[in-house]
Amino acid sequence: MKDSGIEFLENTRYPDFSTIDMIRRVPEPPSDQVVPDDAKVITLPDPKKLKIPGVSVQEAIENWEPVVYFSRTSITMNDLSFLLWCTQGERPIDASPAPIRNVPSSGNRHPVDTYFVAGEVEGLPTGLYRYLPKTHQVISIREDSDIPFAMGTASMDFKVITRAAVTFLWVAVPYRSVWALGNRGYRSVLLETGHICQALMMASACIGCDVHPIDLFHDQMVIQLADLEPETQWPIYIAAVGRLEREL
């Protein structure tokens, strides 16, 4: 029996034009999820107007350390806006007619969606939300004070998640990349999620927070918690954001 990891690497070699639906003129998939008409949409503070203290890359890297548990603290809506914009926000550039996001994406496909559990975000009810990069808004999926506990159980990191101010969940929609890149798009999903998490770690340092990345979790429990479509949406990575006692 062939090793599943080696099989994955072999099956995602590039180029394999037989797996690229764009070449075969299959219709392009939507670049984002549909926002329900009755969804509660919340506009975030304008990231251009936020005054966030600067932290050097060297300082952010040297100060990061594994998290055992967070102290019970909160972040503001300004903080949340900054973290979301740094990880998946869009901005215009002169060299492109279309805006770009703040993290690299192979083929500019952006196959990863950002969900988050608001534990202690000032002005935001405890619950599960999804970020809308194009408009810099979030939609409320479910407001429920028990969601941090459910996420803590699903992530097998109960002490960290239940004390985090916010916990990010990155969900892949692989076909957005696979349509243009073929099977190579599956690798792109994993790489992009890593880019996003690293951006979160850098941005969190600017607001005095630490990040605890979590790659071991109960997939099925997370799928049920976030009400994902198991055939097309895959939870890839979780990251809890909070403050340690030494920072209070």
Side-chain angles (χ1 to χ4, degrees):
M1 182 177 179
K2 185 174 288 189
D3 180 274
S4 58
I6 297 299
E7 190 171 16
F8 170 79
L9 293 173
E10 289 178 347
N11 290 338
T12 56
R13 285 175 174 159
Y14 189 81
D16 180 359
F17 296 116
S18 67
T19 65
I20 301 177
D21 282 350
M22 180 177 67
I23 293 176
R24 299 190 291 179
R25 299 189 178 183
V26 175
E28 182 176 0
S31 61
D32 206 347
Q33 296 182 53
V34 174
V35 176
D37 292 335
D38 60 347
K40 178 181 178 181
V41 180
I42 302 160
T43 299
L44 296 166
D46 187 346
K48 295 179 181 178
K49 298 180 180 180
L50 302 181
K51 295 182 178 180
I52 304 295
V55 173
S56 72
V57 172
Q58 180 179 353
E59 184 180 353
I61 291 173
E62 289 179 348
N63 286 341
W64 181 85
E65 60 185 48
V67 174
V68 178
Y69 65 89
F70 290 123
S71 298
R72 292 193 181 278
T73 57
S74 63
I75 63 172
T76 66
M77 285 289 281
N78 283 355
D79 293 333
L80 178 65
S81 173
F82 177 69
L83 295 180
L84 288 169
W85 183 80
C86 286
T87 53
Q88 280 208 306
E90 292 192 349
R91 57 186 169 88
I93 60 171
D94 294 336
S96 173
I100 65 166
R101 292 193 187 177
N102 289 325
V103 291
S105 179
S106 182
N108 205 31
R109 300 305 302 169
H110 302 295
V112 181
D113 292 333
T114 295
Y115 291 69
F116 64 91
V117 173
E120 295 290 341
V121 179
E122 297 173 13
L124 199 62
T126 301
L128 179 68
Y129 299 82
R130 177 165 61 86
Y131 180 49
L132 307 176
K134 289 181 173 60
T135 57
H136 196 58
Q137 296 173 310
V138 299
I139 63 170
S140 173
I141 296 174
R142 188 164 72 256
E143 295 179 8
D144 185 345
S145 60
D146 289 333
I147 285 183
F149 299 98
M151 179 62 86
T153 300
S155 69
M156 300 183 288
D157 225 323
F158 194 82
K159 287 195 301 182
V160 171
I161 297 294
T162 55
R163 288 174 172 264
V166 59
T167 299
F168 291 86
L169 165 65
W170 293 298
V171 175
V173 184
Y175 188 61
R176 288 182 199 157
S177 287
V178 172
W179 176 82
L181 305 173
N183 285 347
R184 187 67 164 211
Y186 292 109
R187 287 200 207 183
S188 300
V189 166
L190 304 179
L191 293 169
E192 184 168 330
T193 309
H195 294 319
I196 295 170
C197 187
Q198 187 64 57
L200 177 68
M201 295 169 73
M202 298 293 103
S204 294
C206 295
I207 61 170
C209 286
D210 283 88
V211 177
H212 180 62
I214 301 168
D215 61 339
L216 298 176
F217 51 84
H218 292 289
D219 290 64
Q220 194 56 42
M221 292 178 69
V222 173
I223 288 170
Q224 292 175 350
L225 173 67
D227 195 25
L228 304 178
E229 172 52 57
E231 297 299 320
T232 59
Q233 294 177 290
W234 297 79
I236 301 296
Y237 212 4
I238 294 172
V241 177
R243 292 186 173 93
L244 306 181
E245 283 190 354
R246 61 173 166 78
E247 295 160 342
L248 299 180

